[in-house]
Amino acid sequence: MEAYAGARELFPEAPVSSELRRAATERYAQASIEHARQLSRKGDVPAAKAAMDKVLADDVAPRDPAALAFRAQLDDPIRTNPALTAEHAGDVDAVRRLLYTAEGSFDLGKYDEANKHYTAVLRIDPTNAAARRGMERVAAAMSEHRKASYDQTRAEMLAQVDAGWELQITDPELGIGAYDPGAPGMADAGMTVSKKLERIMIPKIALDQASLGEALDLLRLKAVENDTFELDPTRKGVNINVNLGPSDSEAARLVSEQRITLQLSNVPLSRVLDSVTEMTRTSYSTDDFAVIIRPIGAATDELISRNFRVPPDFITTLSSGATNDQAAADPFAEAPTGGGLVTTRLSAQEALKLQGVSFPTGASASYNAATNTLRITNTSTNVDFVSQLVETLSQTEPVMVAVRVTMIRTQQTNLEELGFDWLVSPFALNSDGTVFGGGGTTGNGTPRTSADFINPVNFTNIPGIPSVPGQPVSNIATAGNRSGDSAITGNTIDALINNPERSAQASAVAPGIMSLTGLFTDGEAQVVMRGLSQKKGVDIMANPSTVTRSGQTSTVTIIREFIYPTEYEPPELPNSVGGDTLVAIGPGGVVSGVSGGGSSPVTPATPTAFEKKDVGITLEVLPVADSQRRYIDVTLNPSFSEFVGFINYGSPINTQVSGLTGSRSVEVTPNRILMPVFSSEKAATQVTVADGSTIVIGGLMSESIQNVEDKVPVLGDLPWVGRLFTSKAYQPTTTAIVFMVNVELLDPTGRPYRDR
């Protein structure tokens, strides 16, 4: 468009160039129309109209049909949306690009990135349905992954319980390795020279009439040999520099003439330097990289630089004593406009000057609040003074400890049972009918009833098989084989919890799967296959967390308040309950009769006192950080409690009632006295861990196995056939509990110390 506009201007309005000027005008109009179309698609309708108005100007092409048609299209609200803006068109392009990028990230399995792009789309277009659908797909995929993670974690915990049954074999050749302070992972990253002087231990050093230079050469070698904290060989040891001034000075001559005789064992390098400098009348100081030895009393104007890591409130603490110079001496006088006694925010150099640090020419101090770094450029004496200030104030910096606890409890119960019941009714063994065969009796086995067996409709009068459903059955050859609740029994407390009615403690056999009946001339044989296969898993996870100060106890509770009775009033009973007939026992325990005693109120046991029990998760934690902010001494008391059920300590109260049919026992009141049962898992430990570490408290694993195998003597030992006279039941119950505790040191700004 610009090129044709320029060409049109170059051709003058003359007969010779009129044809060329008209052709340039036509090309200019076509290019302007295409340019206006692009602007319109991008939402810049005013710019498109302006481009068309230039073409339709009186001196250009006022009657160009294509330009006139497109200009009318721009004014038509049906063909051009009047609400369309350039900003909206740009948002449409951005949304389209983000949706394609999110789709690509999802296809690559980068779900977090896909979710981030979909979120960016919603920031631009809050009602974008495609982004919401995409986030739904991401959530579904993440849910599927987390389900797999759940299954894997659960399987590993149950595998740990199974591994607990394995007896570990100890290799007698394996011994306990000695603690190696130089092992990988013990390196102190960023250790300063002063710390090295304290931590490098010299096993033995012997000097006899040695000069200062000879003694320092030996110390350099010993420092390299015994530096077990540096993994990089090039950084082992300590740099030691000597600055005695001019070689012909009196101080340098006196130091050179001194001789050192010294014998020490198992001392830190700093103690050796103290002895050497004391004998040679010198002193030493440290900077970030080296030890500098000078004559005692030697003053030097040499400036050195050193960086210090300081608390976030370092400058504020130093400035706390700073006041305005114009503060009035009279406390009742009007405060000056300069701020009076209000604390003034000072720079790092001004705050250090208040503490007595001098700054000669060229010296400076700067503080970087983003990294909490103080940089000092000053003489060695002043740098040492600042180092003491930093060390003192660093001990007072408040330390926060974030504690995150994950509690996982997994329980798995499996039951496999298969048995057979044989019922044989009496049948004659000889032709005279004098000898009969049949099944046994129930004895001490679980009672069976006619409902347990299939009574053929056409043979309801067969001897030995009652025709009334639910009546006890005799003639059971395998009655002694345990089944159902008699084979696999819960412990005493479980039985009481599961049966709050104390009169309803009877056990039941396993359900019958299939029955086979054989009919003889005068008897019947029936076998019932009983089987049960059950699996039950209970998984509980909780994730409480807390933030507390170092040295202070914090408690997190995620509980429900469970109120239960602890004391009951005894039941109030009438002196007598009786009559010719008993009609009913009404609500509230009222026994109604029509003669004799009439009606007598009965008040059952009533609760009178209650207590509260916190059911849920409780975490008590006491973290204490060390002075270097690297290790944490943690005392943990996590507990997990839940309500299991009630035990009924009461018994039904019955009375004998005489009626028309004789005397019989009637329940006056069930007299329930319910007391709750709670299950608790607790752990108590005290450990010292590195900042950011996770403590795993395991070992709370248990497995109980019930294995039952009953068989009929002789018949149960027969090959193949003996299995029909055998009952087997197997139920393992596995429980695993794991506490995972993550501790992290935070500064008052919430940033982790290890990232500072």
Side-chain angles (χ1 to χ4, degrees):
M1 181 182 66
E2 294 175 357
Y4 283 121
R8 181 178 178 276
E9 294 297 329
L10 291 176
F11 293 117
E13 295 183 1
V16 177
S17 59
S18 61
E19 187 68 23
L20 295 175
R21 182 179 176 86
R22 186 177 70 255
T25 302
E26 292 176 355
R27 301 297 191 278
Y28 170 69
Q30 294 175 3
S32 298
I33 293 172
E34 293 303 322
H35 178 60
R37 291 185 191 278
Q38 292 184 2
L39 294 175
S40 176
R41 283 195 296 267
K42 293 181 179 180
D44 196 355
V45 177
K49 291 181 178 180
M52 289 294 93
D53 291 341
K54 289 182 180 180
V55 174
L56 297 174
D58 294 338
D59 58 342
V60 181
R63 291 184 296 276
D64 186 88
L68 290 172
F70 188 72
R71 184 64 178 82
Q73 179 181 337
L74 293 176
D75 291 332
D76 187 358
I78 298 178
R79 304 184 66 182
T80 302
N81 189 348
L84 182 64
T85 61
E87 181 181 3
H88 178 80
D91 290 343
V92 170
D93 291 338
V95 166
R96 183 184 299 109
R97 180 175 296 275
L98 287 171
L99 288 176
Y100 281 123
T101 305
E103 184 71 18
S105 299
F106 179 84
D107 293 338
L108 296 176
K110 300 178 180 180
Y111 300 135
D112 291 337
E113 290 188 12
N115 212 29
K116 180 179 67 176
H117 295 314
Y118 284 130
T119 304
V121 170
L122 292 177
R123 291 195 184 100
I124 300 174
D125 183 9
T127 60
N128 191 285
R132 291 294 182 183
R133 292 299 182 188
M135 296 179 74
E136 179 186 5
R137 291 179 58 200
V138 171
M142 292 294 293
S143 177
E144 189 66 24
H145 165 72
R146 292 189 174 106
K147 286 180 181 178
S149 301
Y150 161 80
D151 293 337
Q152 181 257 341
T153 302
R154 189 174 189 276
E156 284 192 359
M157 294 179 65
L158 294 176
Q160 292 176 10
V161 177
D162 295 335
W165 290 95
E166 180 183 0
L167 295 178
Q168 300 296 327
I169 306 300
T170 304
D171 190 343
E173 296 182 359
L174 295 178
I176 300 176
Y179 174 74
D180 183 8
M186 293 299 296
D188 189 355
M191 185 181 295
T192 61
V193 174
S194 59
K195 288 184 179 179
K196 278 193 173 184
L197 295 180
E198 297 295 334
R199 300 184 67 173
I200 295 179
M201 300 297 294
I202 306 299
K204 184 177 181 180
I205 187 169
L207 299 173
D208 185 12
Q209 296 298 312
S211 64
L212 177 62
E214 295 172 344
L216 295 180
D217 289 339
L218 179 61
L219 287 182
R220 293 187 185 98
L221 293 176
K222 292 289 185 180
V224 173
E225 294 174 358
N226 298 280
D227 189 355
T228 60
F229 305 100
E230 287 287 358
L231 300 180
D232 186 359
T234 60
R235 298 180 58 186
K236 289 183 176 291
V238 177
N239 297 321
I240 303 178
N241 298 328
V242 180
N243 185 5
L244 301 180
S247 58
D248 56 349
S249 64
E250 183 67 15
R253 185 184 63 80
L254 292 176
V255 171
S256 301
E257 292 177 353
Q258 300 296 324
R259 290 294 178 264
I260 304 170
T261 300
L262 183 65
Q263 289 188 354
L264 295 173
S265 299
N266 296 323
V267 292
L269 182 57
S270 61
R271 182 67 184 89
V272 179
L273 281 175
D274 290 338
S275 301
V276 170
T277 54
E278 182 180 355
M279 292 181 181
T280 57
R281 298 180 182 178
T282 57
S283 62
Y284 74 91
S285 60
T286 62
D287 58 12
D288 289 339
F289 306 101
V291 177
I292 303 173
I293 296 180
R294 296 185 177 88
I296 292 179
T300 177
D301 295 332
E302 180 183 357
L303 301 180
I304 61 175
S305 298
R306 187 172 176 184
N307 294 328
F308 296 92
R309 183 77 69 181
V310 297
D313 59 344
F314 180 78
I315 302 299
T316 304
T317 304
L318 294 181
S319 306
S320 60
T323 58
N324 211 321
D325 294 334
Q326 290 80 19
D330 184 3
F332 299 100
E334 184 179 356
T337 58
L341 301 177
V342 178
T343 302
T344 305
R345 176 71 176 184
L346 305 178
S347 65
Q349 185 166 332
E350 292 172 342
L352 290 172
K353 283 183 178 180
L354 289 177
Q355 305 301 323
V357 181
S358 60
F359 285 82
T361 304
S364 63
S366 61
Y367 173 67
N368 188 344
T371 59
N372 295 328
T373 302
L374 177 67
R375 181 170 180 79
I376 298 294
T377 301
N378 212 320
T379 62
S380 59
T381 303
N382 288 330
V383 170
D384 289 341
F385 185 26
V386 174
S387 177
Q388 295 176 7
L389 284 176
V390 172
E391 184 176 359
T392 301
L393 293 180
S394 295
Q395 303 300 322
T396 62
E397 179 186 8
V399 181
M400 314 301 290
V401 183
V403 182
R404 306 173 185 90
V405 179
T406 301
M407 304 179 186
I408 302 176
R409 180 176 182 267
T410 295
Q411 185 175 29
Q412 179 73 30
T413 302
N414 300 332
L415 172 62
E416 299 291 340
E417 180 182 348
L418 181 62
F420 301 88
D421 267 349
W422 285 86
L423 185 145
V424 181
S425 62
F427 60 94
L429 296 178
N430 58 358
S431 59
D432 299 335
T434 57
V435 180
F436 289 86
T441 62
T442 303
N444 60 354
T446 305
R448 273 68 157 173
T449 65
S450 59
D452 298 325
F453 292 88
I454 306 301
N455 192 359
V457 178
N458 297 329
F459 302 93
T460 55
N461 296 322
I462 295 177
I465 302 182
S467 59
V468 180
Q471 296 300 312
V473 176
S474 59
N475 303 326
I476 302 177
T478 54
N481 293 355
R482 290 167 292 180
S483 176
D485 296 336
S486 297
I488 301 297
T489 59
N491 56 38
T492 305
I493 191 170
D494 288 338
L496 292 173
I497 292 171
N498 295 330
N499 296 278
E501 296 288 347
R502 291 188 58 183
S503 60
Q505 299 291 330
S507 57
V509 295
I513 302 175
M514 184 178 64
S515 174
L516 181 64
T517 304
L519 300 178
F520 302 98
T521 305
D522 52 359
E524 178 187 20
Q526 186 177 24
V527 59
V528 175
M529 177 188 294
R530 302 186 183 278
L532 193 61
S533 179
Q534 291 180 333
K535 291 185 179 181
K536 179 182 179 182
V538 179
D539 303 317
I540 302 174
M541 186 189 74
N543 190 210
S545 61
T546 180
V547 178
T548 182
R549 293 189 62 178
S550 176
Q552 293 187 359
T553 303
S554 178
T555 302
V556 174
T557 56
I558 306 175
I559 60 172
R560 290 184 178 181
E561 295 182 351
F562 186 91
I563 301 177
Y564 61 93
T566 56
E567 296 181 6
Y568 284 80
E569 284 286 345
E572 297 181 2
L573 305 176
N575 293 330
S576 63
V577 178
D580 293 336
T581 59
L582 180 66
V583 176
I585 301 178
V590 178
V591 181
S592 302
V594 296
S595 64
S599 63
S600 301
V602 176
T603 304
T606 306
T608 58
F610 296 85
E611 287 188 3
K612 180 176 69 70
K613 170 72 174 180
D614 293 338
V615 178
I617 302 163
T618 302
L619 171 64
E620 294 182 357
V621 57
L622 174 60
V624 179
D626 69 336
S627 59
Q628 304 299 325
R629 310 293 192 265
R630 298 178 58 223
Y631 298 98
I632 311 171
D633 186 62
V634 185
T635 302
L636 287 170
N637 292 311
S639 64
F640 185 88
S641 62
E642 60 178 337
F643 169 69
V644 179
F646 284 102
I647 294 179
N648 181 17
Y649 288 98
S651 299
I653 299 178
N654 302 325
T655 187
Q656 292 298 121
V657 177
S658 298
L660 299 177
T661 59
S663 177
R664 58 174 176 168
S665 178
V666 176
E667 181 181 293
V668 178
T669 176
N671 192 37
R672 295 183 180 179
I673 301 178
L674 302 178
M675 299 300 291
V677 176
F678 301 96
S679 174
S680 298
E681 289 89 19
K682 299 180 180 179
T685 185
Q686 184 173 4
V687 294
T688 300
V689 297
D691 178 23
S693 299
T694 298
I695 309 164
V696 179
I697 306 174
L700 299 176
M701 299 180 294
S702 64
E703 182 173 20
S704 62
I705 299 176
Q706 295 190 55
N707 194 2
V708 176
E709 183 174 350
D710 293 347
K711 63 183 178 180
V712 177
V714 181
L715 296 177
D717 295 328
L718 296 176
W720 301 102
V721 180
R723 184 63 182 89
L724 298 177
F725 297 90
T726 303
S727 294
K728 291 184 178 181
Y730 178 79
Q731 176 178 284
T733 300
T734 303
T735 303
I737 303 172
V738 174
F739 294 90
M740 292 179 287
V741 184
N742 176 267
V743 288
E744 184 179 37
L745 292 178
L746 306 176
D747 64 12
T749 64
R751 289 179 294 181
Y753 266 98
R754 63 180 185 276
D755 294 341
R756 297 203 317 179

